[in-house]
Amino acid sequence: MKKDNSRRSFLKNISLASFSALALAGCNMKEIDEFLQKNFRVLSEKEKTDIIRSLEEKYKEKYDKEFHVSAKPAMEGVLFGYALDLSKCIGCRKCVYACSEENNQSREPQIQWIQVLQMEKEKGIDFAHSNIHYNPEKVPEEGYFYVPVQCQQCENPPCVKVCPVKATWKEPDGITVVDYNWCIGCRYCMAACPYGARHFNWGEPNVPAEEINTNMHYLGNRPRMKGVVEKCTFCIQRSREGKYPACVEICPVGARKFGNLLDPNSEIRYILENKRVLVLKQELNTQPKFYYFFGV
Amino acid sequence: MKNQNKKLSVLFLAFFTAMAIFSGCLNDNKIDQINTEMQSIQSDGKYTEIAVEQPPFSIGIFPCSDCHSLIEPNPARRELVEMHDDIDEIFHHDSENRWCLDCHDTNSRDSLKLASGKLLDFKESYKLCGQCHGNKLRDWKVGVHGKRTGNWNGEKEYLLCVHCHDPHAPKFKELMPEPPPVRQEDIH
Ligand code: SF4
């Protein structure tokens, strides 16, 4: 008998083999579907709806709660911008924890999308001498100021450029997102990000069921898996509904401002036009849409 | 300290419950009036703005006329004893040059007053603050000083100056920070 070693049969055999491997590994059909799922950006509306429905079911099973997972696209004519008043921030870290709760960040192992850097007033903005582990009785401390750092939502994001599988990209409203199902966990993006804003799930993420936020976006705060990268999305599940991000809402000193850069009447435009503004590591030409300003 | 905070929050709770019950007794017209009064602070008029909370009076202190209508007004600047001595004690707001009746009206005790002598409702206290802190008032009106919550493209809620700054001692109070991260993830 002639041995059939055409390219077609090779592919057929290998896919059969991997399917049986998957089946042997105890995967159910859903997991196989998930494994073979396309990149979010090429999914049809129908496919998106199906995937989201099955996710909602899966989460319900796991957490015993009703979930709403949105895939709402960017609004027309909106480019999000953020501004943080360095003259006001007192380093209380309330934003860090509000962010973690809103966005279902793993508590143990701990992942936090916002880091608050304590810096010496005498040295100015100086990452090399900054400290994120400050822990005094009361803040602010004499002689120090605080620089909260999260994803800077660069217009020219180096993390997007280096991703070998296009699992991360910039949306039309300027938010850089990750398709957790497409991320292969190579962490190139983490190496490329000059702001330490991307975080890797080294272990199985863990959020207590009673604390999980059931209002989710596919590209944002839905539960992540072990082995994928995650980051701030300007609370995409909130901002695309017109709401302020959680960190803006919680900040007790009102240091955090958010809005549409294309709206000349927005708070953010007022700041850019009337205040002294800076971006971090400007020399790298990442063009952050996260601005720091002095409101004084 | 913790205990005191707890006590304070219980008092606040009691106060707001009382307020809620009390405002339930007001007729609807009056409530509407309060709301519309509170909406007109945005200069371009594009977004609606509503107050988050009523002015933060100390418990049982308002209306001031409850007591003051029975007392002959004494406009002489003096140290307060018996009543409001607690405020006198913490008073730290250009205390060298100012005292109670520079902002509270001598005769109309339930009102504040501007330098011009114009009476002002407590709900509009930001106008009083703005007499000296004009640049802050300007920034506050556009949502840059102070805090806005709600919708970036729609209805927003605002706090009055006095919700964050005690008008008698306006420096923002220090806070206990939340715990530091457990992992070192240095910015590189
Ligand atoms: S909540 Fe506000 S004041 Fe506190 S650390 Fe965050 S930005 Fe700074």
Side-chain angles (χ1 to χ4, degrees), chain A residues 89-95 116 148 251-253 256:
Chain A
C89 174
I90 55 172
C92 67
R93 295 200 189 95
K94 287 195 191 299
C95 49
V116 185
C251 178
V253 298
R256 293 172 164 271

Side-chain angles (χ1 to χ4, degrees), chain B residues 9-25:
Chain B
S9 53
V10 170
L11 281 175
F12 264 113
L13 208 79
F15 173 64
F16 283 116
T17 326
M19 288 272 293
I21 295 168
F22 176 68
S23 58
C25 306

Side-chain angles (χ1 to χ4, degrees), chain A:
Chain A
M1 200 174 83
K2 188 175 173 274
K3 228 173 139 204
D4 177 8
N5 49 8
S6 68
R7 185 178 147 91
R8 177 181 295 257
S9 75
F10 170 74
L11 284 175
K12 202 169 107 193
N13 287 338
I14 205 152
S15 53
L16 264 177
S18 42
F19 268 122
S20 27
L22 273 172
L24 280 177
C27 291
N28 58 27
M29 256 343 256
K30 255 192 195 159
E31 280 170 56
I32 294 169
D33 278 350
E34 217 171 273
F35 181 76
L36 296 173
Q37 188 179 307
K38 289 183 273 183
N39 185 303
F40 181 79
R41 280 188 293 177
V42 298
L43 292 175
S44 69
E45 284 309 310
K46 163 95 176 50
E47 285 167 320
K48 277 187 202 166
T49 326
D50 289 348
I51 288 170
I52 278 174
R53 192 158 313 130
S54 102
L55 277 182
E56 283 173 344
E57 270 168 31
K58 183 169 135 187
Y59 300 152
K60 189 177 172 179
E61 219 164 87
K62 177 160 182 201
Y63 296 100
D64 198 21
K65 278 183 177 176
E66 290 298 328
F67 283 81
H68 173 71
V69 182
S70 158
K72 195 172 182 174
M75 295 180 203
E76 286 283 322
V78 171
L79 186 67
F80 287 123
Y82 203 112
L84 196 148
D85 190 344
L86 287 178
S87 63
K88 296 224 182 64
C89 174
I90 55 172
C92 67
R93 295 200 189 95
K94 287 195 191 299
C95 49
V96 175
Y97 289 85
C99 169
S100 168
E101 277 163 36
E102 169 67 34
N103 291 295
N104 296 320
Q105 282 148 34
S106 176
R107 312 292 203 269
E108 172 61 52
Q110 188 183 63
I111 288 195
Q112 293 179 339
W113 292 353
I114 304 178
Q115 296 180 66
V116 185
L117 279 62
Q118 176 211 51
M119 300 196 186
E120 282 174 50
K121 281 189 176 160
E122 269 185 19
K123 293 207 169 88
I125 293 186
D126 175 358
F127 292 109
H129 295 96
S130 67
N131 171 18
I132 61 168
H133 294 287
Y134 64 93
N135 196 19
E137 277 286 297
K138 288 277 162 74
V139 283
E141 303 147 279
E142 192 72 33
Y144 293 97
F145 70 106
Y146 305 86
V147 184
V149 179
Q150 61 211 74
C151 174
Q152 307 280 302
Q153 311 292 0
C154 307
E155 262 308 275
N156 185 19
C159 53
V160 168
K161 279 186 220 160
V162 299
C163 179
V165 294
K166 293 192 162 59
T168 185
W169 65 91
K170 188 170 58 131
E171 287 275 287
D173 52 9
I175 304 176
T176 292
V177 294
V178 181
D179 181 345
Y180 310 121
N181 285 70
W182 207 251
C183 171
I184 56 170
C186 69
R187 308 191 298 284
Y188 283 14
C189 57
M190 288 173 70
C193 173
Y195 306 102
R198 291 181 160 254
H199 307 271
F200 187 64
N201 285 282
W202 291 97
E204 194 61 50
N206 165 32
V207 182
E210 62 279 10
E211 287 173 29
I212 196 125
N213 177 8
T214 57
N215 180 31
M216 297 173 171
H217 194 286
Y218 189 89
L219 299 173
N221 61 343
R222 70 177 166 116
R224 276 74 75 186
M225 315 70 142
K226 179 176 172 178
V228 304
V229 162
E230 58 179 83
K231 61 179 283 299
C232 156
T233 63
F234 280 166
C235 282
I236 195 165
Q237 69 282 2
R238 297 175 60 89
S239 51
R240 285 201 178 160
E241 301 292 341
K243 290 196 205 130
Y244 283 120
C247 48
V248 173
E249 295 256 334
I250 195 84
C251 178
V253 298
R256 293 172 164 271
K257 306 294 165 191
F258 177 79
N260 183 4
L261 288 166
L262 306 181
D263 173 3
N265 295 318
S266 63
E267 291 140 60
I268 191 87
R269 280 286 290 273
Y270 180 91
I271 291 165
L272 295 184
E273 281 155 33
N274 294 287
K275 299 291 177 188
R276 283 163 290 157
V277 173
L278 61 104
V279 293
L280 298 182
K281 305 192 179 182
Q282 184 179 22
E283 67 279 12
L284 300 178
N285 194 31
T286 50
Q287 300 168 27
K289 292 189 294 296
F290 197 106
Y291 304 91
Y292 293 84
F293 73 106
F294 295 94
V296 275

Side-chain angles (χ1 to χ4, degrees), chain B residues 93-108:
Chain B
H93 195 174
D94 192 18
S95 36
E96 200 186 321
N97 300 305
R98 297 162 67 241
W99 84 300
C100 319
L101 298 183
D102 289 314
C103 299
H104 296 273
D105 190 68
T106 320
N107 301 308
S108 176

